[in-house]
Amino acid sequence: MTPEQIDHAAAMFLARNPAIDPDSEQWQAQRRMVTELATSGRLGVGIGVAGAGKTTLLAPMVDAWKADGRQVYGTALAWRQASALRAAGIEEGAAVAAFLKRVETGRYQLDRNSVVIVDEVSQIGTRQMLDLLRIREQTGAQMVMIGDPLQTNAIEGGPGLELLREALGEEAIPKILTTVRQRTEREREIAGLFRAGRAAEALEMKQADSSAMLVAGGREATVQRVAQLWHQRIEANRDDPDFRLTVSALTNADCREIGAAIRDELRRADKLGADVAVLDAADRTGEVYTLPLAIGDKVRVFDRHRQVSGFRNRIWQ
């Protein structure tokens, strides 16, 4: 992209978002990263701390790419992260595993007119990083990766972001090390402690603030505690029609396990009846599992479903 295209997109973005101060230090840092990533080569990497305003800096770039007739895709390790990129104007997106599959099967037709945004790149392991870079090499697509090496590392192992830093050179990677997400000085202090590697002190402060808890007993005990906390919060706010509560976990399997524990909590509270059907289900990665259903369950359908004769009246009454 040319600097003039980025200038125009940034001006239009500010016009739509008058609450952003164009003279603020944060916007100036975001603006510099926008220019460096959008006007550089076919592979760009940016480092932004948690709360640096990733959506804010991505939106003008996405606008400029779209105005130039390019197709923009988004991906991240988890579906939740990939879906969050829609706030920056990226309609097409998927978790990394699904994204790679869609490219392989031809659902996503990438070429030099395509742009791929990779979010939370520090969570991408070296194997998937290699797959993404091979796709970039084979298709000629532009790839922009954003993350923070001091936030969350890849579970699969391998310092993917660190390898990119070595390959590109530290001076070629723009950085935003200030944050707008933490609203109080104490929150900013806690975030700073995490970045400085002083996690024990940060966790003690969060426990004192009741914004974090540690659960003894391993995975099963943690899942049960999450389900209990969910039920307690729902009950405490049941008279508030605007109250919403979300549970997030790293993988689909983790979410299903927590969901099953929440169903058990509801059943013990006599808010869910006995299972009346068991379905074969599949998530977006293709993993197949059994899905028990009871009257009162809420089911989220993604791509497609088939109605079974008589099934609707049995489950949704």
Side-chain angles (χ1 to χ4, degrees), residues 130-265:
L130 180 59
D131 290 338
L132 288 169
L133 292 176
R134 280 175 172 162
I135 286 174
R136 200 228 62 77
E137 184 73 18
Q138 293 164 3
T139 65
Q142 182 175 356
M143 192 165 286
V144 174
M145 301 182 171
I146 298 177
D148 179 8
L150 298 182
Q151 196 170 344
T152 305
N153 292 325
I155 289 180
E156 289 191 355
L161 181 53
E162 292 304 313
L163 292 174
L164 287 172
R165 293 172 76 174
E166 285 191 36
L168 298 176
E170 194 68 29
E171 68 284 352
I173 298 179
K175 304 173 183 64
I176 300 179
L177 303 181
T178 53
T179 177
V180 293
R181 179 177 298 163
Q182 285 76 33
R183 290 172 292 182
T184 68
E185 184 59 37
R186 183 171 175 85
E187 289 175 337
R188 288 189 283 272
E189 181 184 359
I190 291 172
L193 289 173
F194 275 119
R195 286 195 60 78
R198 297 161 61 184
E201 296 174 61
L203 284 172
E204 285 180 4
M205 293 175 68
K206 288 186 69 64
Q207 286 179 277
D209 295 345
S210 299
S211 61
M213 63 177 62
L214 299 179
V215 179
R219 179 186 178 87
E220 183 176 351
T222 302
V223 168
Q224 293 301 320
R225 184 67 188 98
V226 170
Q228 292 166 4
L229 182 60
W230 180 90
H231 192 214
Q232 291 166 5
R233 295 282 173 84
I234 289 293
E235 284 297 297
N237 294 275
R238 60 184 176 181
D239 296 327
D240 181 358
D242 297 323
F243 180 75
R244 299 291 184 272
L245 184 60
T246 300
V247 179
S248 300
L250 184 63
T251 68
N252 289 330
D254 293 335
C255 290
R256 288 198 298 273
E257 189 171 347
I258 294 171
I262 289 175
R263 289 182 85 242
D264 291 340
E265 285 290 317

Side-chain angles (χ1 to χ4, degrees), residues 2-220:
T2 66
E4 291 76 18
Q5 289 173 303
I6 296 303
D7 288 343
H8 177 72
M12 296 296 291
F13 176 79
L14 287 174
R16 295 195 307 270
N17 297 273
I20 296 177
D21 180 2
D23 297 322
S24 67
E25 180 181 347
Q26 195 71 19
W27 168 252
Q28 293 300 319
Q30 293 165 337
R31 183 69 179 78
R32 286 191 295 271
M33 181 177 283
V34 166
T35 300
E36 291 187 54
L37 291 177
T39 62
S40 59
R42 306 300 289 182
L43 175 63
V45 179
I47 292 176
V49 302
K54 170 192 62 188
T55 300
T56 298
L57 70 90
L58 282 177
M61 288 193 288
V62 173
D63 289 345
W65 283 319
K66 287 183 176 180
D68 198 47
R70 308 191 192 193
Q71 176 67 50
V72 185
Y73 300 86
T75 188
L77 182 65
W79 276 101
R80 175 181 57 82
Q81 297 162 329
S83 298
L85 291 172
R86 293 174 184 167
I90 303 173
E91 292 87 9
E92 285 290 344
V96 169
F99 177 84
L100 294 171
K101 188 69 173 178
R102 291 179 181 185
V103 173
E104 178 186 347
T105 59
R107 178 171 172 178
Y108 286 166
Q109 301 274 345
L110 303 187
D111 54 27
R112 288 189 61 82
N113 206 39
S114 305
V115 181
V116 180
I117 304 295
V118 183
D119 192 19
E120 304 294 359
V121 64
S122 62
Q123 298 179 10
I124 308 296
T126 50
R127 179 181 61 81
Q128 290 181 322
M129 180 72 72
L130 180 59
D131 290 338
L132 288 169
L133 292 176
R134 280 175 172 162
I135 286 174
R136 200 228 62 77
E137 184 73 18
Q138 293 164 3
T139 65
Q142 182 175 356
M143 192 165 286
V144 174
M145 301 182 171
I146 298 177
D148 179 8
L150 298 182
Q151 196 170 344
T152 305
N153 292 325
I155 289 180
E156 289 191 355
L161 181 53
E162 292 304 313
L163 292 174
L164 287 172
R165 293 172 76 174
E166 285 191 36
L168 298 176
E170 194 68 29
E171 68 284 352
I173 298 179
K175 304 173 183 64
I176 300 179
L177 303 181
T178 53
T179 177
V180 293
R181 179 177 298 163
Q182 285 76 33
R183 290 172 292 182
T184 68
E185 184 59 37
R186 183 171 175 85
E187 289 175 337
R188 288 189 283 272
E189 181 184 359
I190 291 172
L193 289 173
F194 275 119
R195 286 195 60 78
R198 297 161 61 184
E201 296 174 61
L203 284 172
E204 285 180 4
M205 293 175 68
K206 288 186 69 64
Q207 286 179 277
D209 295 345
S210 299
S211 61
M213 63 177 62
L214 299 179
V215 179
R219 179 186 178 87
E220 183 176 351

